[in-house]
Amino acid sequence: MDSTATLVFVAGIENSGPTHWQAIWHDRVPNGVWVEHESWDNPVRDLWVKDLDDALRAIDGPKIIVAHSLGCTVVAEWASEHQDDTVVGAFLAALPDVHGDNFPTQALGFGSPRLAPLPFRTVVLASEDDPYGSLESATAGAGHLGARLVNVGPKGHINADSGLGDWPEGWAVLDDEFTG
């Protein structure tokens, strides 16, 4: 992985707790940045996009975004409105289906996602049994984003409940994708 790039972590609704791979990875890297939100339980699209933009603007040098769940949607929404040539990549795990039956009703403003090719290298990691987004939905989303899709098999929502720990398989994809 590009050792000069800052990893910017964008969690989903309810945040990623200490046993979630995102939190473990954040603790692993010396210069990782965690994007914070005023409300983790009641996300509002425009506020979460602004929080991501503020975090990115505060970092000098190249950045790789590491997002999970609703954080993936926030990244796509941010990219539809902002340009930052220092973002060199995005690792998007568990891209949710905003029109799916299980999409959180308290998430406001995410109903009309602007999915377009992202201007940086992107990989989408999808589970075969994610309750928040089918493999078919993730495949379509990756296509819209111009991303490479990685099917990680049946791993649920690719979160702490999936029992992944530090998720070495995901870290290997991150490292392989952004070496260099």
Side-chain angles (χ1 to χ4, degrees):
M1 182 179 348
D2 181 349
S3 62
T4 65
T6 299
L7 296 185
V8 179
F9 294 89
V10 186
I13 194 167
E14 297 179 3
N15 205 350
S16 295
T19 61
H20 193 291
W21 59 267
Q22 264 191 320
I24 295 169
W25 291 7
H26 177 260
D27 290 344
R28 174 187 299 167
V29 297
N31 64 340
V33 172
W34 198 269
V35 177
E36 292 290 344
H37 304 293
E38 185 175 323
S39 174
W40 285 101
D41 298 326
N42 297 294
V44 176
R45 179 217 176 269
D46 292 347
L47 297 177
W48 278 35
V49 167
K50 182 184 182 316
D51 292 340
L52 174 57
D53 189 55
D54 290 348
L56 292 171
R57 288 179 183 278
I59 302 165
D60 291 327
K63 307 164 202 53
I64 298 170
I65 300 172
V66 179
H68 177 258
S69 192
L70 188 59
C72 301
T73 305
V74 171
V75 171
E77 293 291 290
W78 170 84
S80 74
E81 299 174 353
H82 300 87
Q83 183 175 353
D84 183 340
D85 293 338
T86 65
V87 174
V88 296
F91 176 98
L92 308 178
L95 180 67
D97 179 355
V98 299
H99 300 294
D101 293 339
N102 292 327
F103 190 77
T105 56
Q106 68 270 34
L108 302 178
F110 294 94
S112 299
R114 290 169 249 180
L115 297 177
L118 297 177
F120 37 79
R121 173 177 273 170
T122 305
V123 60
V124 170
L125 292 88
S127 170
E128 294 174 356
D129 59 353
D130 186 339
Y132 297 100
S134 67
L135 185 58
E136 294 76 20
S137 172
T139 301
H144 291 301
L145 296 173
R148 183 171 79 88
L149 178 77
V150 175
N151 176 345
V152 297
K155 301 247 184 319
H157 192 47
I158 313 177
N159 58 6
D161 291 341
S162 300
L164 301 174
D166 70 356
W167 195 27
E169 175 188 15
W171 184 264
V173 171
L174 177 70
D175 193 38
D176 290 347
E177 192 71 25
F178 300 106
T179 296

